[in-house]
Amino acid sequence: MVQDIWLSFRRLPLWVQIWVAVILVPVNLMPLFFLDQPQGVLIAALAITGMALNLPIMIAARGMSEAMALPHILCWVPLVIVVVGLLSAAETLNPTYIRFLWLLLIVDVISLVFDVRDAAHWMRSRKPG
């Protein structure tokens, strides 16, 4: 099963593999370094849960699936709202935290653009007939 998931990942376009492995996953793990900041625990929970919920999907599909977009939408839309709210009061935040929040916001909004398309395609493919 792990090999099936790995091979499925490796069949993705190279730019997607780089996006996921070098940008998306690391940036969504970075909230662990900011747990002591305002809303830090909530941001970490939403960011990581959005990824962790993909594990059962990958196991069931024995690889990558467009259904993996659904946990991102479920968790990262609220995450984006929280981050935008924090950035609207940025003058009270640590400058390093502000830079991180902007990075997280940009990365997750880009991901959500792809996720909405993938989720719609996956749901259309599930309709009978």
Side-chain angles (χ1 to χ4, degrees):
M1 173 184 39
V2 173
Q3 184 177 6
D4 292 338
I5 293 170
W6 174 250
L7 291 174
S8 174
F9 174 74
R10 296 296 293 155
R11 283 192 296 272
L12 295 171
L14 181 59
W15 74 267
V16 175
Q17 294 177 53
I18 292 168
W19 168 257
V20 170
V22 177
I23 299 170
L24 189 65
V25 171
V27 168
N28 279 283
L29 289 173
M30 287 176 70
L32 293 172
F33 295 108
F34 296 97
L35 295 174
D36 62 335
Q37 297 298 310
Q39 301 295 331
V41 172
L42 176 61
I43 289 170
L46 290 169
I48 294 168
T49 301
M51 294 186 298
L53 289 175
N54 279 319
L55 293 173
I57 294 170
M58 285 188 289
I59 290 167
R62 296 190 70 85
M64 303 290 120
S65 165
E66 289 176 325
M68 293 170 64
L70 300 174
H72 291 173
I73 293 168
L74 177 70
C75 295
W76 292 352
V77 168
L79 172 64
V80 165
I81 293 167
V82 170
V83 170
V84 167
L86 281 169
L87 288 171
S88 70
E91 65 276 353
T92 64
L93 301 176
N94 175 314
T96 302
Y97 189 47
I98 293 169
R99 285 189 294 277
F100 159 70
L101 290 173
W102 275 110
L103 175 63
L104 182 65
L105 179 65
I106 291 165
V107 167
D108 284 355
V109 166
I110 291 169
S111 179
L112 284 167
V113 168
F114 292 109
D115 291 329
V116 167
R117 183 201 64 198
D118 288 348
H121 185 262
W122 180 81
M123 288 192 285
R124 277 192 306 273
S125 73
R126 312 306 288 171
K127 287 185 180 178

